């Protein structure tokens, strides 16, 4: 069992930056591929980024490539999402998610495949 607790987020003007954190309980964080998703009002949950269990591989949704960076510190059981050059269309509730895996290069884009979810954190970008 893994519990994910998110922090960070908030309100920022367009062009600004925010960093989200997602801290996992338990001692097996390094055996989970991790992901970030977001959900805007009236829309479905959208993939943002994923990272494999040792942080060596990442994949991003096209609209955030070059602006967002996900990373992890397995010693601290923490996942990060650095968001730069924020746009109003990035406004959403952001969620982190974990999927247990024994395969090094596993990265998961589909929300339905994740095992655990954080509580979500609001990111609001004003123009």
């Amino acid at each position: 069992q893994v519990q994910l607790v998110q922090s960070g987020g908030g309100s920022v003007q367009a062009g600004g930056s925010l960093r989200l954190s997602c801290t996992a309980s338990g001692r097996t964080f390094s055996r989970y591929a991790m992901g970030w998703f977001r959900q805007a009002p009236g829309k479905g949950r959208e993939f943002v980024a994923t990272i494999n269990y040792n942080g060596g591989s990442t994949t991003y949704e096209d609209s955030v490539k070059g602006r967002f960076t996900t990373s992890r510190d397995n010693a601290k059981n923490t996942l990060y999402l650095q968001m730069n050059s924020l746009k109003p269309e990035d406004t959403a509730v952001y969620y982190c998610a974990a999927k247990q895996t024994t395969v090094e290069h596993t990265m998961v884009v589909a929300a339905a495949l994740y095992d655990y979810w954080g509580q979500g954190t609001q990111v609001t970008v004003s123009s």
Side-chain angles (χ1 to χ4, degrees):
Q1 191 82 359
V2 173
Q3 289 187 322
L4 303 176
V5 178
Q6 296 180 228
S7 59
S11 297
V12 66
Q13 290 191 326
S17 298
L18 287 171
R19 187 175 83 158
L20 307 183
S21 299
C22 172
T23 301
S25 63
R27 295 174 291 179
T28 59
F29 179 69
S30 60
R31 283 294 179 254
Y32 285 83
M34 301 296 294
W36 290 100
F37 291 79
R38 64 187 179 186
Q39 188 164 14
K43 295 187 177 181
R45 195 163 294 191
E46 174 190 40
F47 166 74
V48 174
T50 181
I51 187 168
N52 77 322
Y53 68 41
N54 64 13
S57 299
T58 55
T59 296
Y60 298 91
E61 193 270 330
D62 285 348
S63 70
V64 307
K65 284 181 182 177
R67 300 188 298 122
F68 291 11
T69 302
T70 189
S71 60
R72 65 192 295 163
D73 185 339
N74 286 348
K76 295 182 179 180
N77 282 11
T78 302
L79 172 74
Y80 303 100
L81 183 67
Q82 178 66 43
M83 305 183 291
N84 299 329
S85 302
L86 282 160
K87 303 176 181 179
E89 51 264 45
D90 294 320
T91 295
V93 177
Y94 283 70
Y95 298 88
C96 63
K99 174 171 177 58
Q100 191 168 12
T101 180
T102 58
V103 179
E104 179 178 355
H105 297 294
T106 297
M107 292 183 289
V108 183
V109 173
L113 297 179
Y114 280 88
D115 302 311
Y116 304 102
W117 290 85
Q119 81 277 18
T121 187
Q122 178 70 46
V123 171
T124 302
V125 185
S126 58
S127 57

